[in-house]
Amino acid sequence: MADGDLRSGLTPIQPPPSAAMKSHLQPYAGPLTPAHITEGIAAAQANALRLLDDAKLLLEAGRYPSATALAILSMEERGKVIILKRLALVSDPADVKAAWREYRSHRAKNAGWIIPQLVGQGARTMQGLAAGVDPDAEHTGILDALKQVSFYTDCLAKRHWSIPTEVIDEGVARSIVASAEIMWSARAVTLREVELWGQIVGPHYNQPGMMAAVVEWQHAMVAEGLSDTTPESLAAFMRGEPVEVSTVRS
């Protein structure tokens, strides 16, 4: 082996995947049943936790760029939950297609990472926290760019080489990992919850009566023992009244 080689004993390059394998890897972009949506939410939550746990291990090992990148990926996985819930509401093919487009968009999935900062700044109303669900907000691009500089070298600004170990320090890594931990939720989403969501809110999706339908859904959730959040507090929040926001992982 020539001097300067970084690895030895490399596994030979494998042949490209077969046509049959490619068909299994083709992204799906059609409607989902409540059962499929519940399964997808559970998978996203479990993978978000796996990525978060790996990020924390890397953080304590001093691997700050990798810890940062995996924490951001964890937040993106967590962000899939709200998009999957939207798929329970939509039936128009264009709306279904748009939801899947967001599902596979990094920026659309990471909008919620700003919520802890907004809460820390005093936001307690739906309007104050609105940026946390806006896929086009500036902070979504910032987090995506941070993920890129955590993973890759690049030439930026006036021919400056960006190197992950020089860009991402311990403070940045700990802040991003903490945000990912706050975003992660241990609460399982049940099939019945998704069914009620689609049945009650679905007919009013993107319509003037949608907010009232969400409150009606919360009434049904409480009546069936699926939630302890009162419909009155949810209605107050949606009217713009301030509420207490917990940032403790539950």
Side-chain angles (χ1 to χ4, degrees), residues 23-35:
S23 68
H24 287 294
L25 297 175
Q26 182 69 26
Y28 178 76
L32 293 175
T33 66

Side-chain angles (χ1 to χ4, degrees), residues 134-150:
D134 182 0
D136 298 318
E138 183 181 9
H139 69 273
T140 64
I142 292 172
L143 193 68
D144 194 51
L146 186 62
K147 181 181 64 179
Q148 298 300 319
V149 298
S150 298

Side-chain angles (χ1 to χ4, degrees), residues 1 4-10:
M1 182 176 66
D5 285 350
L6 298 178
R7 302 288 180 185
S8 61
L10 295 176

Side-chain angles (χ1 to χ4, degrees), residues 63-134:
R63 311 291 285 185
Y64 303 131
S66 297
T68 299
L70 288 190
I72 293 171
L73 291 178
S74 174
M75 287 189 274
E76 290 181 358
E77 279 292 276
R78 180 66 182 83
K80 288 179 177 178
V81 173
I82 190 171
I83 299 172
L84 286 169
K85 286 183 176 179
R86 190 182 313 149
L87 280 165
L89 303 179
V90 299
S91 57
D92 184 271
D95 290 333
V96 172
K97 184 177 180 180
W100 280 115
R101 190 182 306 115
E102 287 197 9
Y103 179 88
R104 297 185 173 103
S105 162
H106 298 295
R107 289 185 60 169
K109 296 194 294 279
N110 74 33
W113 81 276
I114 199 71
I115 289 176
Q117 179 180 331
L118 296 174
V119 171
Q121 294 170 348
R124 294 294 186 274
T125 66
M126 187 168 72
Q127 291 83 358
L129 297 169
V133 293
D134 182 0

Side-chain angles (χ1 to χ4, degrees), residues 32-39 41 84-85 87-89 189-200 217 221 226:
L32 293 175
T33 66
H36 283 131
I37 290 169
T38 306
E39 182 181 1
I41 289 173
L84 286 169
K85 286 183 176 179
L87 280 165
L89 303 179
V189 175
T190 66
L191 173 58
R192 183 57 179 157
E193 176 179 342
V194 176
E195 288 175 339
L196 289 170
W197 179 247
Q199 291 167 8
I200 298 173
W217 168 77
M221 288 281 287
L226 298 172

